[in-house]
Amino acid sequence: MNHQMPENIRPENIRLSNDRKKVIIIDQSALPNKLEYLTLDQPEECFDAIKTLKVRGAPAIGIFAAFAMYVTAQQWADHSIEEFQKKYQLASEYLNSARPTAVNLSWAIRRLQQIVDDHAGGSVSEVIALLGKEAEKIQQEDMEMCYQIASHGLSLLKEGDGILTHCNAGPLATSCYGTALGPMLLGKEQGMNFRVFADETRPLLQGARLTTYELQKAGIDVTLICDNMASVVMKNGWVDKVFVGCDRIAANGDFANKIGTSGVAILANYYHIPVYTLGPSSTIDLDTPTGADIPIELRDPDEIRTMWYKEPMAPEKVPCYNPSFDVTDHTLLAGIITEKGIVYPPFEENLKRLFR
Ligand code: MRU
């Protein structure tokens, strides 16, 4: 069943400037202490914004990439179509290389590239106008998808439920509502109350900095825990459901999400707590057969050794292994909540039926 999204919703995290020549984002790396906006139009600064998680979360990265390519393309408005195409392709390959795991980045880049390819004989100004429209469409579609995901997810929740979430899959990470946080935000709007446990999410603390910020702002009862406390709150009987986002869902239902997600899912299964991942079709990658085929981003060891601390909390050169994501096996999942409804096992068959 489709639910009607209210008309007055506007995404706050990513938008175009009034002259449409720049993209304006909330700098997620400054939250929760400062709400700062960045105004960007250079390919290098857009690449950096993705790489350094100023804009982050799978759907938000895709939306931002589309706007980034649109504002970049406008700088070549006086080029011939051949020159424009060459520059465009190089810039889009460069942006696509900023982060490998969330499939939404390459998905959005491909959508815009298709427009450029389809209009090889057209005018540059026409192509640029179409790119702008497509970027706005991607954002609008994401809002609709998030709203549907929130509605489907909410159908699983009861008044007073305890929900554990990992990382941040709220409005900041998407366009509005978010994915994993959507049902809680929508439920709160409808007068329901939940008790949410937010894992802090080492090493970049998206749970501590962003999830608690977004849920508190919405008036939702949220308790911050360290990642290694999840089993205790589960054992205490405080968690009825685990809701997490995703960065890429493979054809068999395995999914990549923030490092630590698979551990949470294993614990939840031990305590017989159902685990759901929530994501839009832009995160479903049927061309990737299993989780083993998902590229996993490795990040700077200093995110573990020194970041957030006044002094380093590890010997200066101690080797660190810092995968940014892990893959949760589909056998640990109760369901995948998408804009088209809740997908239950067998995932391979049911995902193909709904999304191929
Ligand atoms: O490294 P990040 O912060 O971009 O990782 C984000 C996540 O893993 C989210 O859970 C995922 O992108 C879902 S966002 C709706």
Side-chain angles (χ1 to χ4, degrees):
M1 185 176 80
N2 257 23
H3 309 262
Q4 191 63 41
M5 183 175 79
E7 274 173 16
N8 56 354
I9 297 171
R10 298 277 170 276
E12 288 171 19
N13 57 343
I14 303 169
R15 66 182 170 86
L16 284 174
S17 59
N18 289 339
D19 66 2
R20 298 175 66 84
K21 289 189 182 306
K22 294 179 194 297
V23 53
I24 301 172
I25 57 168
I26 291 180
D27 180 356
Q28 296 192 43
S29 66
L31 288 171
N33 298 319
K34 285 180 271 173
L35 178 59
E36 286 180 345
Y37 291 84
L38 300 172
T39 303
L40 312 169
D41 66 353
Q42 294 304 308
E44 295 75 19
E45 52 190 18
C46 293
F47 178 95
D48 178 75
I50 297 177
K51 184 89 195 160
T52 60
L53 275 59
K54 292 182 174 76
V55 56
R56 52 146 295 285
I61 293 172
I63 295 163
F64 172 74
F67 282 119
M69 287 314 302
Y70 170 53
V71 299
T72 301
Q74 290 180 61
Q75 294 158 31
W76 307 315
D78 58 355
H79 287 38
S80 69
I81 188 78
E82 292 78 19
E83 272 177 281
F84 175 88
Q85 282 191 306
K86 266 190 221 145
K87 290 212 173 218
Y88 185 93
Q89 177 146 4
L90 283 178
S92 80
E93 281 166 9
Y94 168 64
L95 197 63
N96 196 19
S97 68
R99 295 188 78 188
T101 304
V103 72
N104 306 62
L105 175 57
S106 54
W107 169 86
I109 295 255
R110 251 200 328 272
R111 269 180 71 159
L112 268 72
Q113 182 69 53
Q114 193 63 50
I115 289 175
V116 176
D117 295 347
D118 287 350
H119 293 81
S123 73
V124 171
S125 58
E126 181 197 2
V127 174
I128 290 173
L130 289 171
L131 292 175
K133 277 200 187 127
E134 190 70 2
E136 282 168 328
K137 192 164 166 224
I138 286 174
Q139 189 176 42
Q140 184 63 36
E141 284 173 7
D142 191 72
M143 289 167 62
E144 295 278 352
M145 291 193 289
C146 286
Y147 189 77
Q148 300 307 329
I149 289 168
S151 306
H152 292 304
L154 184 56
S155 71
L156 296 174
L157 295 180
K158 295 190 311 293
E159 171 68 18
D161 263 356
I163 304 147
L164 185 135
T165 191
H166 190 77
C167 193
N168 171 262
L172 285 163
T174 59
S175 51
C176 70
Y177 285 99
T179 53
L181 300 191
M184 305 163 216
L185 293 168
L186 189 61
K188 185 71 191 172
E189 280 179 11
Q190 297 176 6
M192 291 177 75
N193 293 292
F194 310 111
R195 185 174 189 199
V196 183
F197 292 92
D199 287 349
E200 67 174 351
T201 317
R202 283 279 294 157
L204 293 183
L205 306 185
Q206 291 93 332
R209 295 186 301 106
L210 307 173
T211 296
T212 60
Y213 168 81
E214 290 190 310
L215 293 181
Q216 268 198 341
K217 212 163 69 157
I220 293 174
D221 175 354
V222 56
T223 302
L224 176 63
I225 57 170
C226 298
D227 297 337
N228 53 8
M229 297 169 189
S231 72
V232 176
V233 294
M234 290 181 188
K235 188 173 182 178
N236 288 354
W238 296 343
V239 180
D240 299 292
K241 271 147 205 125
V242 169
F243 275 9
V244 290
C246 43
D247 289 82
R248 190 187 298 237
I249 301 177
N252 71 343
D254 293 351
F255 70 101
N257 192 47
K258 180 53 52 195
I259 190 72
T261 303
S262 68
V264 166
I266 291 165
L267 289 173
N269 272 258
Y270 180 82
Y271 288 110
H272 308 293
I273 299 165
V275 178
Y276 294 90
T277 188
L278 299 87
S281 50
S282 53
T283 306
I284 297 171
D285 182 7
L286 297 184
D287 295 332
T288 293
T290 73
D293 306 296
I294 300 176
I296 299 292
E297 176 184 11
L298 288 177
R299 293 187 63 88
D300 186 345
D302 278 342
E303 289 178 351
I304 301 179
R305 286 189 293 234
T306 60
M307 206 164 167
W308 315 116
Y309 299 122
K310 272 200 182 128
E311 291 171 18
M313 280 297 137
E316 201 183 338
K317 292 209 163 55
V318 68
C320 294
Y321 174 52
N322 187 15
S324 191
F325 300 93
D326 60 24
V327 169
T328 300
D329 199 275
H330 65 276
T331 55
L332 299 169
L333 262 184
I336 302 173
I337 304 176
T338 75
E339 77 275 14
K340 294 192 179 177
I342 305 174
V343 182
Y344 292 102
F347 291 117
E348 183 140 19
E349 210 173 299
N350 292 339
L351 281 172
K352 205 185 279 173
R353 197 161 39 76
L354 218 52
F355 293 99
R356 180 57 88 193

